[in-house]
Amino acid sequence: MSEDAVVEPTATPAVKRMRLRYAGICSRCGASLEAGVTADYDRTSKTVACVECPARRALPERAEATAAPKHAITRDAPPELEVVDGTAGGSAVREFNRRHDARQQRVQANHPKIGKFLLAVFDDPQSTTAWATGAVGEQQLGGMLAGLAGPTLRVLHDRRIPKTTANIDHLVVCSSGVFVVDAKRYQDARPALRVEGGLIRPRQELLVVGGRERTKLVEGMQKQLGLVRAALADQPDVPVHGVLCFVDADWPLIGGSFTVQGVSVMWPKKLKAMLAEAGPLDADRIADLQWQLHEAFPRQKERTVPSQDVPPT
């Protein structure tokens, strides 16, 4: 093969199409690429290239004149979001408003004469108010995370899980890894670990909140962890942690946090201390991971179809 032959890039998982955070030079044709344009980024060689590279279409003599050296390397240039992206509790607020408005319209249509009176006397059902309660918890936790955010701690709020109506409350990327955080608001209820079996029966860890078994919350977090780890399959060195963070719960003065089936259970201040722990990830890597998670779990959008009548847990 001659030196001036143009070789098409091999399609590998290492090459990713993205918006550049910094200006660079195309490794194939030598053209300047401005910050913000879409280009092909090679994680392995840390080079960028035009999406529609002129070298692919150039005549041999032009390709020879414009081709960049084979060793040309530009700065790692992942795209960048704000350190806090998304709106905490956005989905829960929209769902509460949808249910509340639908009930008002339904009551006034069915009872045109006394509809307003009925709405003034009777509150929304628990299946509706649960969404407002959940939104408050997400917003409180989101405010705390926003206060911590910076170049070495980035946050994604209210992320959509593709092909489902479900969402992830918070994704935090910091120096010690990625944290999948689910905000729960059980006022004045104490979370606790219950262990059953161990001798005759298999040992089983259960989550109890206010005396009621709530292990389904752990199962839901484990599903989210599986999805996030799959989205970061090309970065196996990045730890991914799951946290159920209970806001306004009845925590004891000493101790209280625990782990159930690999998921940490704690309160906001405990989570704050955990996120502050040092780790191996630097600011550039954290920004890259935030964008990769944003691509896998986009911002939540308003639903155009009715959701299932299942309140948040």
Side-chain angles (χ1 to χ4, degrees):
M1 183 179 294
S2 62
E3 292 184 359
D4 57 353
V6 178
V7 180
E8 290 287 342
T10 303
T12 68
V15 177
K16 192 170 189 178
R17 186 157 294 176
M18 54 174 56
R19 181 169 52 84
L20 298 184
R21 183 152 54 105
Y22 304 105
I25 302 296
C26 176
S27 61
R28 292 194 290 255
C29 71
S32 297
L33 298 173
E34 300 294 332
V37 303
T38 299
D40 290 333
Y41 171 64
D42 191 319
R43 296 178 184 274
T44 303
S45 64
K46 298 191 183 300
T47 59
V48 293
C50 304
V51 173
E52 294 294 336
C53 185
R56 296 180 182 178
R57 305 185 301 273
L59 296 175
E61 58 271 17
R62 183 176 179 183
E64 182 179 7
T66 60
K70 294 181 180 179
H71 61 275
I73 295 177
T74 188
R75 181 181 178 185
D76 186 348
E80 186 175 9
L81 300 167
E82 296 294 330
V83 294
V84 177
D85 186 83
T87 303
S91 291
V93 170
R94 288 192 295 270
E95 185 62 17
F96 167 76
N97 290 335
R98 186 191 72 81
R99 291 167 180 261
H100 175 79
D101 293 345
R103 174 176 175 265
Q104 286 199 324
Q105 294 174 8
R106 185 171 60 252
V107 170
Q108 292 190 46
N110 294 338
H111 307 281
K113 294 183 178 180
I114 61 171
K116 291 184 178 180
F117 170 77
L118 294 175
L119 291 171
V121 173
F122 297 102
D123 294 330
D124 287 320
Q126 192 276 335
S127 59
T128 297
T129 57
W131 289 97
T133 300
V136 171
E138 291 182 44
Q139 290 167 348
Q140 289 179 357
L141 187 57
M144 185 204 76
L145 295 174
L148 301 175
T152 58
L153 191 150
R154 291 174 172 268
V155 184
L156 298 170
H157 292 308
D158 193 22
R159 313 315 288 190
R160 177 166 51 90
I161 299 177
K163 300 180 181 180
T164 75
T165 58
N167 75 309
I168 297 176
D169 289 353
H170 314 279
L171 287 168
V172 182
V173 189
C174 58
S175 59
S176 57
V178 173
F179 289 78
V180 185
V181 183
D182 202 350
K184 299 300 177 187
R185 189 167 181 244
Y186 290 80
Q187 293 176 289
D188 301 323
R190 176 167 297 184
L193 172 65
R194 177 190 297 169
V195 179
E196 297 181 350
L199 293 177
I200 300 176
R201 293 181 298 143
R203 185 178 185 276
Q204 186 177 18
E205 296 180 346
L206 304 176
L207 172 63
V208 178
V209 184
R212 299 183 63 181
E213 201 250 311
R214 299 285 188 180
T215 310
K216 286 187 176 181
L217 301 181
V218 179
E219 296 170 357
M221 171 54 67
Q222 289 172 335
K223 291 179 181 178
Q224 293 182 23
L225 285 171
L227 293 170
V228 172
R229 285 171 178 146
L232 299 178
D234 63 335
Q235 312 223 34
D237 62 312
V238 177
V240 180
H241 313 276
V243 177
L244 291 174
C245 190
F246 284 83
V247 179
D248 296 335
D250 177 29
W251 291 101
L253 294 177
I254 300 176
S257 63
F258 56 90
T259 300
V260 52
Q261 298 182 24
V263 175
S264 298
V265 181
M266 62 187 66
W267 56 95
K269 287 187 177 180
K270 182 72 173 179
L271 174 61
K272 181 178 180 179
M274 179 179 288
L275 296 177
E277 294 177 0
L281 304 181
D282 60 16
D284 285 342
R285 185 86 184 276
I286 289 169
D288 192 11
L289 287 166
Q290 184 200 31
W291 179 265
Q292 188 169 348
L293 290 170
H294 164 70
E295 288 187 313
F297 307 101
R299 299 183 192 95
Q300 191 69 273
K301 297 179 180 179
E302 291 193 33
R303 294 171 182 165
T304 57
V305 295
S307 62
Q308 297 178 351
D309 292 334
V310 179
T313 54

